[in-house]
């Protein structure tokens, strides 16, 4: 039994290490007065990234990007997580669907 | 602000309008009274409002990806309901051989109402949140309400047009058109749920299978309308395309299989006794 279990534990350990090593980098974006801060974020190519979006406005906003294939409503005074990538190099605009005239930004993948 | 309200509300309304009109046309084709719709719309409005009011709590679930998980679940449930609806249409007889009313009507009403209520919960909650945000901005509220009204009106008109187009067809063809339209809807729902789960990092996000954004950009009016109607994506991933085809094929397969059984039943006189 031990002979069977030891390699399995080793495999599980390897998986755990791999997932720990693969923890995506975290980037924060704030929404204030229907504007994104920062409005340009730079991320590495072919890497998954975790976006933490804090909506500091009292009104809800919808983070939307056709190029990133992402959309999510963020209630007023609350936060949301969106995973993006891995992506090839390029420019990926995003906007706030509820206030699109001001809430504009882009992800630069390099 | 006015134009944005028109586009936003139209986009959310269009999907529900198409779905509701096809379901009423299908119900009429199956000789079911549309009374279920009142209950479905009322439930949809209540659930959409409740969901919108609690969106902050839901979003916090599962390490801030609760919204994606709940929305994906709602969309998968819609696909299941569409499949069961067609199973009921083809496998349950409208009138039992003894002349008693069969359970087909109850099944149709329940699942058609569930589809509408689930779809309205997701789409409607976004409209509730959007409009709710302007309640404390009296200077912008009139333009937003007028724009939303126009968007809603256009969506409703498209729904009505589609309803008359489907009901105007001969019965077998109307059923076939309803099957394919709801199959497209199911494909779209399943593909969107896959996209949401990849946004939540519950499933891996793959590279885009193709890029048709130069030919038909998603942000163009046509692109946005096609997105609302059939789930157009300019840069879909492999899993997006596979899940779309799977949802579409599942509904078509259930309907085709059911149609074959119904045909066999009609042709076997012994079974009619």
């Amino acid at each position: 039994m031990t002979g069977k279990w030891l390699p399995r534990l080793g495999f599980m350990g390897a998986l755990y290490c791999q997932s720990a090593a693969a923890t995506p980098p975290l980037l924060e974006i704030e929404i204030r007065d229907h504007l994104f801060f920062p409005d340009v974020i730079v991320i590495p190519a072919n890497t998954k990234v975790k976006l933490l979006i804090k909506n500091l406005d009292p009104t809800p906003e919808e983070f939307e990007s056709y190029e990133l294939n992402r959309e999510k409503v963020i209630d007023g005074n609350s936060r949301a997580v969106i995973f993006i990538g891995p992506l090839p190099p390029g420019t990926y605009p995003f906007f706030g669907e509820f206030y699109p005239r001001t809430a504009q930004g882009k992800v630069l993948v390099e | 602000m006015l134009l944005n309200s028109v586009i936003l509300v139209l986009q959310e309304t269009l999907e529900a309008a198409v779905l509701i009109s096809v379901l009423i046309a299908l119900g009429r084709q199956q000789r079911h009274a549309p009374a279920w719709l009142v209950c479905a719309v009322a439930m949809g409005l209540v659930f959409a409002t409740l969901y919108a009011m609690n969106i902050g709590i839901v979003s916090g679930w599962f390490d801030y990806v609760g919204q994606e998980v709940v929305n994906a679940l709602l969309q998968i449930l819609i696909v299941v309901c569409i499949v069961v609806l067609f199973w009921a249409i083809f496998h349950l007889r409208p009138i039992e051989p003894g002349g008693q009313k069969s359970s087909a009507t109850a099944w149709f009403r329940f699942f058609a109402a569930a589809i509408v209520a689930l779809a309205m919960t997701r789409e409607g909650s976004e409209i509730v949140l959007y409009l709710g945000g302007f309640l404390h901005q009296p200077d912008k509220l009139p333009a937003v309400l007028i724009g939303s009204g126009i968007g809603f009106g256009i969506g409703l008109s498209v729904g009505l047009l589609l309803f008359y187009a489907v009901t105007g067809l001969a019965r077998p063809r109307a059923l076939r058109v309803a099957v394919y339209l709801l199959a497209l809807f199911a494909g779209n729902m399943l593909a969107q749920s896959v996209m949401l789960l990849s946004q939540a990092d519950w499933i891996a996000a793959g590279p885009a299978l193709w890029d048709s954004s130069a030919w038909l950009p998603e942000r163009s009016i046509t692109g946005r309308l096609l997105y609302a109607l059939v789930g157009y994506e300019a840069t879909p991933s492999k899993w997006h395309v596979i899940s779309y085809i799977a949802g579409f094929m599942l509904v078509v397969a259930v309907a085709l299989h059911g149609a074959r059984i119904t045909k066999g039943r009609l042709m076997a006189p012994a079974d009619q006794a």
Side-chain angles (χ1 to χ4, degrees):
Chain A
M1 284 298 279
T2 326
K4 270 184 186 177
W5 277 104
L6 268 178
R8 279 187 196 178
L9 280 174
F11 177 66
M12 298 277 276
L15 264 184
Y16 176 77
C17 290
Q18 198 183 15
S19 66
T23 302
L26 180 77
L27 276 169
E28 277 189 36
I29 300 176
E30 283 184 2
I31 302 171
R32 268 182 274 137
D33 299 323
H34 315 303
L35 292 163
F36 289 111
F37 295 97
D39 58 354
V40 179
I41 55 169
V42 184
I43 65 166
N46 307 314
T47 309
K48 182 166 68 188
V49 173
K50 183 178 180 178
L51 294 182
L52 174 64
I53 305 167
K54 293 178 179 170
N55 183 6
L56 304 180
D57 285 337
T59 51
E61 182 55 283
E62 183 168 5
F63 178 95
E64 174 134 12
S65 170
Y66 298 118
E67 289 75 8
L68 295 164
N69 286 334
R70 294 290 179 255
E71 65 172 317
K72 182 166 187 166
V73 173
I74 308 154
D75 201 8
N77 295 316
S78 61
R79 54 178 65 191
V81 164
I82 295 176
F83 287 87
I84 58 168
L87 293 161
T91 305
Y92 299 82
F94 60 82
F95 63 101
E97 203 184 9
F98 291 178
Y99 299 88
R101 289 178 82 178
T102 51
Q104 297 273 348
K106 56 188 168 188
V107 177
L108 295 180
V109 183
E110 293 177 351
Chain B
M1 201 47 85
L2 189 133
L3 185 65
N4 186 50
S5 315
V6 176
I7 295 170
L8 192 138
V9 175
L10 172 62
Q11 206 165 295
E12 306 297 342
T13 313
L14 210 52
E15 208 174 273
V18 167
L19 181 70
I20 292 173
S21 59
V22 174
L23 283 172
I24 308 174
L26 186 64
R28 199 165 144 149
Q29 196 264 353
Q30 296 291 307
R31 308 220 160 94
H32 299 306
W36 57 270
L37 185 66
V38 180
C39 180
V41 170
M43 278 199 308
L45 286 175
V46 171
F47 290 154
T49 311
L50 285 175
Y51 189 28
M53 285 167 71
N54 293 292
I55 198 77
I57 299 168
V58 175
S59 295
W61 292 347
F62 308 113
D63 203 13
Y64 293 101
V65 293
Q67 198 186 124
E68 282 89 342
V69 176
V70 171
N71 285 348
L73 198 68
L74 287 175
Q75 284 164 325
I76 292 168
L77 268 174
I78 291 174
V79 177
V80 172
C81 289
I82 292 175
V83 169
V84 177
L85 185 86
F86 279 115
W87 175 86
I89 284 175
F90 288 108
H91 289 78
L92 302 175
R93 301 169 201 202
I95 303 290
E96 286 296 336
Q100 305 144 301
K101 215 176 169 192
S102 84
S103 54
T105 308
W107 277 72
F108 182 89
R109 278 183 193 162
F110 180 82
F111 284 97
I115 294 166
V116 171
L118 288 168
M120 279 182 69
T121 302
R122 176 162 146 58
E123 303 295 337
S125 63
E126 281 186 28
I127 299 180
V128 172
L129 278 165
Y130 175 67
L131 293 179
F134 287 97
L135 284 180
H136 304 294
Q137 302 178 70
D139 52 323
K140 290 175 184 153
L141 193 60
V144 167
L145 285 179
I146 292 169
S148 303
I150 295 170
F152 183 74
I154 299 171
L156 204 66
S157 312
V158 173
L160 275 172
L161 271 174
L162 191 68
F163 169 74
Y164 285 114
V166 176
T167 45
L169 297 168
R171 279 194 82 203
R173 187 173 288 178
L175 180 59
R176 212 172 304 144
V177 168
V179 167
Y180 286 113
L181 285 175
L182 288 177
L184 281 174
F185 193 84
N188 182 14
M189 288 294 105
L190 211 56
Q192 276 191 35
S193 64
V194 164
M195 190 275 286
L196 284 168
L197 291 176
S198 94
Q199 179 170 304
D201 198 30
W202 276 35
I203 56 173
L209 208 55
W210 67 72
D211 186 356
S212 55
S213 55
W215 177 66
L216 180 57
E218 254 182 79
R219 58 177 64 241
S220 67
I221 296 289
T222 318
R224 291 181 83 156
L225 284 178
L226 280 175
Y227 171 79
L229 289 171
V230 290
Y232 170 69
E233 279 291 344
T235 51
S237 70
K238 179 178 75 183
W239 289 112
H240 189 99
V241 175
I242 291 174
S243 54
Y244 195 110
I245 295 172
F248 179 83
M249 293 306 287
L250 185 65
V251 173
V252 171
V254 168
L256 284 180
H257 180 251
R260 199 171 299 157
I261 287 176
T262 312
K263 204 173 170 187
R265 203 160 59 196
L266 289 174
M267 287 171 78
D271 197 40
Q272 299 279 312

Short mmCIF file of all heavy atoms in Angstrom, two decimals, chain B residues 231-263:
data_model
loop_
_atom_site.label_atom_id
_atom_site.label_comp_id
_atom_site.label_asym_id
_atom_site.label_seq_id
_atom_site.Cartn_x
_atom_site.Cartn_y
_atom_site.Cartn_z
N GLY B 231 -25.76 35.54 -30.07
CA GLY B 231 -24.52 35.38 -29.32
C GLY B 231 -23.26 35.51 -30.16
O GLY B 231 -22.29 34.79 -29.93
N TYR B 232 -23.26 36.47 -31.12
CA TYR B 232 -22.09 36.64 -31.98
C TYR B 232 -20.85 37.03 -31.17
O TYR B 232 -20.90 37.92 -30.32
CB TYR B 232 -22.37 37.71 -33.04
CG TYR B 232 -21.15 38.13 -33.83
CD1 TYR B 232 -20.55 37.25 -34.72
CD2 TYR B 232 -20.56 39.38 -33.64
CE1 TYR B 232 -19.41 37.62 -35.42
CE2 TYR B 232 -19.43 39.76 -34.35
CZ TYR B 232 -18.86 38.87 -35.24
OH TYR B 232 -17.73 39.23 -35.92
N GLU B 233 -19.76 36.35 -31.41
CA GLU B 233 -18.46 36.67 -30.79
C GLU B 233 -17.43 36.79 -31.90
O GLU B 233 -17.33 35.89 -32.73
CB GLU B 233 -18.01 35.54 -29.85
CG GLU B 233 -18.64 35.56 -28.47
CD GLU B 233 -18.18 36.72 -27.60
OE1 GLU B 233 -17.17 37.36 -27.93
OE2 GLU B 233 -18.88 37.00 -26.61
N ALA B 234 -16.66 37.90 -31.92
CA ALA B 234 -15.66 38.09 -32.97
C ALA B 234 -14.41 37.25 -32.71
O ALA B 234 -13.73 36.83 -33.65
CB ALA B 234 -15.28 39.56 -33.08
N THR B 235 -14.13 36.99 -31.42
CA THR B 235 -12.92 36.21 -31.10
C THR B 235 -13.28 35.08 -30.11
O THR B 235 -12.89 35.13 -28.94
CB THR B 235 -11.84 37.12 -30.46
OG1 THR B 235 -12.46 37.85 -29.39
CG2 THR B 235 -11.24 38.09 -31.45
N PRO B 236 -14.02 34.09 -30.58
CA PRO B 236 -14.43 33.03 -29.65
C PRO B 236 -13.29 32.05 -29.35
O PRO B 236 -12.45 31.79 -30.22
CB PRO B 236 -15.56 32.33 -30.40
CG PRO B 236 -15.22 32.53 -31.83
CD PRO B 236 -14.48 33.83 -31.95
N SER B 237 -13.31 31.48 -28.16
CA SER B 237 -12.33 30.45 -27.82
C SER B 237 -12.84 29.10 -28.32
O SER B 237 -14.00 28.97 -28.72
CB SER B 237 -12.12 30.40 -26.31
OG SER B 237 -13.27 29.87 -25.70
N LYS B 238 -11.98 28.12 -28.26
CA LYS B 238 -12.36 26.77 -28.72
C LYS B 238 -13.56 26.25 -27.92
O LYS B 238 -14.52 25.73 -28.49
CB LYS B 238 -11.15 25.84 -28.52
CG LYS B 238 -11.39 24.41 -28.92
CD LYS B 238 -10.13 23.60 -28.73
CE LYS B 238 -9.85 23.29 -27.28
NZ LYS B 238 -8.60 22.56 -27.03
N TRP B 239 -13.51 26.44 -26.59
CA TRP B 239 -14.60 25.94 -25.74
C TRP B 239 -15.89 26.71 -25.95
O TRP B 239 -16.98 26.17 -25.77
CB TRP B 239 -14.17 25.94 -24.27
CG TRP B 239 -13.15 24.89 -24.03
CD1 TRP B 239 -11.84 25.06 -23.73
CD2 TRP B 239 -13.35 23.46 -24.16
NE1 TRP B 239 -11.21 23.86 -23.65
CE2 TRP B 239 -12.10 22.86 -23.90
CE3 TRP B 239 -14.44 22.65 -24.46
CZ2 TRP B 239 -11.92 21.47 -23.93
CZ3 TRP B 239 -14.27 21.28 -24.50
CH2 TRP B 239 -13.04 20.70 -24.23
N HIS B 240 -15.76 27.98 -26.34
CA HIS B 240 -16.94 28.79 -26.63
C HIS B 240 -17.68 28.18 -27.83
O HIS B 240 -18.90 27.96 -27.79
CB HIS B 240 -16.50 30.22 -26.95
CG HIS B 240 -17.63 31.19 -27.05
ND1 HIS B 240 -17.98 32.01 -26.02
CD2 HIS B 240 -18.50 31.45 -28.06
CE1 HIS B 240 -19.02 32.75 -26.39
NE2 HIS B 240 -19.35 32.43 -27.63
N VAL B 241 -16.92 27.88 -28.89
CA VAL B 241 -17.51 27.32 -30.12
C VAL B 241 -18.08 25.92 -29.85
O VAL B 241 -19.21 25.60 -30.25
CB VAL B 241 -16.45 27.29 -31.26
CG1 VAL B 241 -17.00 26.60 -32.49
CG2 VAL B 241 -16.00 28.70 -31.60
N ILE B 242 -17.29 25.10 -29.13
CA ILE B 242 -17.75 23.73 -28.85
C ILE B 242 -19.05 23.75 -28.03
O ILE B 242 -20.00 23.02 -28.34
CB ILE B 242 -16.65 22.93 -28.11
CG1 ILE B 242 -15.48 22.66 -29.08
CG2 ILE B 242 -17.19 21.62 -27.53
CD1 ILE B 242 -14.26 22.01 -28.46
N SER B 243 -19.10 24.61 -26.99
CA SER B 243 -20.30 24.64 -26.15
C SER B 243 -21.50 25.19 -26.92
O SER B 243 -22.63 24.73 -26.73
CB SER B 243 -20.05 25.46 -24.89
OG SER B 243 -19.58 26.74 -25.23
N TYR B 244 -21.26 26.15 -27.83
CA TYR B 244 -22.36 26.68 -28.64
C TYR B 244 -22.94 25.57 -29.51
O TYR B 244 -24.17 25.35 -29.53
CB TYR B 244 -21.82 27.83 -29.53
CG TYR B 244 -22.92 28.68 -30.14
CD1 TYR B 244 -23.14 29.99 -29.72
CD2 TYR B 244 -23.77 28.17 -31.11
CE1 TYR B 244 -24.15 30.76 -30.26
CE2 TYR B 244 -24.78 28.95 -31.66
CZ TYR B 244 -24.95 30.24 -31.22
OH TYR B 244 -25.97 31.00 -31.76
N ILE B 245 -22.06 24.85 -30.19
CA ILE B 245 -22.52 23.76 -31.07
C ILE B 245 -23.21 22.68 -30.24
O ILE B 245 -24.26 22.16 -30.63
CB ILE B 245 -21.34 23.18 -31.88
CG1 ILE B 245 -20.80 24.26 -32.85
CG2 ILE B 245 -21.74 21.93 -32.66
CD1 ILE B 245 -19.52 23.89 -33.56
N ALA B 246 -22.66 22.37 -29.06
CA ALA B 246 -23.23 21.32 -28.20
C ALA B 246 -24.65 21.70 -27.76
O ALA B 246 -25.57 20.87 -27.84
CB ALA B 246 -22.34 21.11 -26.98
N GLY B 247 -24.86 22.96 -27.33
CA GLY B 247 -26.18 23.42 -26.90
C GLY B 247 -27.18 23.36 -28.05
O GLY B 247 -28.31 22.90 -27.89
N PHE B 248 -26.72 23.82 -29.23
CA PHE B 248 -27.58 23.82 -30.42
C PHE B 248 -27.97 22.38 -30.81
O PHE B 248 -29.14 22.07 -30.99
CB PHE B 248 -26.82 24.51 -31.58
CG PHE B 248 -27.59 24.57 -32.86
CD1 PHE B 248 -28.51 25.58 -33.08
CD2 PHE B 248 -27.40 23.61 -33.85
CE1 PHE B 248 -29.23 25.63 -34.27
CE2 PHE B 248 -28.11 23.65 -35.04
CZ PHE B 248 -29.03 24.67 -35.24
N MET B 249 -26.96 21.53 -30.88
CA MET B 249 -27.19 20.15 -31.32
C MET B 249 -28.07 19.37 -30.34
O MET B 249 -28.87 18.54 -30.74
CB MET B 249 -25.86 19.41 -31.50
CG MET B 249 -25.00 19.93 -32.63
SD MET B 249 -25.82 19.99 -34.22
CE MET B 249 -25.89 18.26 -34.59
N LEU B 250 -27.89 19.66 -29.05
CA LEU B 250 -28.67 18.95 -28.03
C LEU B 250 -30.17 19.19 -28.24
O LEU B 250 -30.97 18.24 -28.24
CB LEU B 250 -28.23 19.45 -26.64
CG LEU B 250 -28.83 18.75 -25.43
CD1 LEU B 250 -28.39 17.29 -25.39
CD2 LEU B 250 -28.42 19.44 -24.14
N VAL B 251 -30.54 20.44 -28.44
CA VAL B 251 -31.96 20.79 -28.62
C VAL B 251 -32.47 20.19 -29.95
O VAL B 251 -33.54 19.59 -29.99
CB VAL B 251 -32.16 22.33 -28.60
CG1 VAL B 251 -33.58 22.70 -28.97
CG2 VAL B 251 -31.81 22.87 -27.23
N VAL B 252 -31.68 20.33 -31.00
CA VAL B 252 -32.10 19.79 -32.31
C VAL B 252 -32.25 18.26 -32.23
O VAL B 252 -33.22 17.70 -32.72
CB VAL B 252 -31.10 20.20 -33.42
CG1 VAL B 252 -31.40 19.49 -34.72
CG2 VAL B 252 -31.14 21.70 -33.64
N ALA B 253 -31.30 17.61 -31.55
CA ALA B 253 -31.35 16.14 -31.44
C ALA B 253 -32.59 15.68 -30.68
O ALA B 253 -33.28 14.75 -31.10
CB ALA B 253 -30.08 15.63 -30.76
N VAL B 254 -32.90 16.35 -29.57
CA VAL B 254 -34.09 15.99 -28.78
C VAL B 254 -35.35 16.17 -29.63
O VAL B 254 -36.25 15.32 -29.64
CB VAL B 254 -34.16 16.82 -27.48
CG1 VAL B 254 -35.52 16.68 -26.80
CG2 VAL B 254 -33.07 16.41 -26.52
N ALA B 255 -35.41 17.28 -30.37
CA ALA B 255 -36.58 17.56 -31.20
C ALA B 255 -36.70 16.56 -32.36
O ALA B 255 -37.78 16.05 -32.63
CB ALA B 255 -36.52 18.99 -31.73
N LEU B 256 -35.58 16.27 -33.01
CA LEU B 256 -35.62 15.34 -34.15
C LEU B 256 -36.00 13.94 -33.69
O LEU B 256 -36.82 13.26 -34.32
CB LEU B 256 -34.25 15.29 -34.85
CG LEU B 256 -33.90 16.48 -35.74
CD1 LEU B 256 -32.52 16.29 -36.35
CD2 LEU B 256 -34.93 16.66 -36.85
N HIS B 257 -35.42 13.51 -32.58
CA HIS B 257 -35.74 12.20 -32.02
C HIS B 257 -37.22 12.14 -31.63
O HIS B 257 -37.92 11.18 -31.94
CB HIS B 257 -34.84 11.92 -30.80
CG HIS B 257 -35.10 10.59 -30.17
ND1 HIS B 257 -35.70 10.47 -28.95
CD2 HIS B 257 -34.86 9.33 -30.61
CE1 HIS B 257 -35.82 9.19 -28.66
NE2 HIS B 257 -35.31 8.47 -29.65
N GLY B 258 -37.70 13.21 -30.99
CA GLY B 258 -39.10 13.26 -30.58
C GLY B 258 -40.03 13.25 -31.78
O GLY B 258 -41.06 12.57 -31.77
N ALA B 259 -39.64 13.99 -32.84
CA ALA B 259 -40.48 14.06 -34.04
C ALA B 259 -40.60 12.67 -34.68
O ALA B 259 -41.67 12.30 -35.17
CB ALA B 259 -39.89 15.06 -35.03
N ARG B 260 -39.51 11.91 -34.64
CA ARG B 260 -39.52 10.56 -35.23
C ARG B 260 -40.47 9.66 -34.44
O ARG B 260 -41.25 8.91 -35.02
CB ARG B 260 -38.10 9.99 -35.22
CG ARG B 260 -37.94 8.84 -36.19
CD ARG B 260 -36.50 8.45 -36.33
NE ARG B 260 -35.67 9.52 -36.85
CZ ARG B 260 -34.36 9.60 -36.69
NH1 ARG B 260 -33.73 8.70 -35.97
NH2 ARG B 260 -33.67 10.58 -37.21
N ILE B 261 -40.42 9.77 -33.11
CA ILE B 261 -41.30 8.95 -32.26
C ILE B 261 -42.76 9.32 -32.50
O ILE B 261 -43.62 8.47 -32.66
CB ILE B 261 -40.91 9.13 -30.77
CG1 ILE B 261 -39.60 8.40 -30.51
CG2 ILE B 261 -42.01 8.63 -29.84
CD1 ILE B 261 -39.06 8.57 -29.13
N THR B 262 -43.04 10.62 -32.57
CA THR B 262 -44.41 11.09 -32.79
C THR B 262 -44.93 10.57 -34.12
O THR B 262 -46.07 10.09 -34.22
CB THR B 262 -44.46 12.64 -32.80
OG1 THR B 262 -43.74 13.10 -31.67
CG2 THR B 262 -45.87 13.16 -32.75
N LYS B 263 -44.08 10.63 -35.14
CA LYS B 263 -44.46 10.16 -36.47
C LYS B 263 -44.78 8.67 -36.42
O LYS B 263 -45.79 8.21 -36.94
CB LYS B 263 -43.31 10.43 -37.44
CG LYS B 263 -43.75 10.55 -38.88
CD LYS B 263 -42.57 10.98 -39.72
CE LYS B 263 -42.89 10.89 -41.19
NZ LYS B 263 -41.72 11.16 -42.00
#
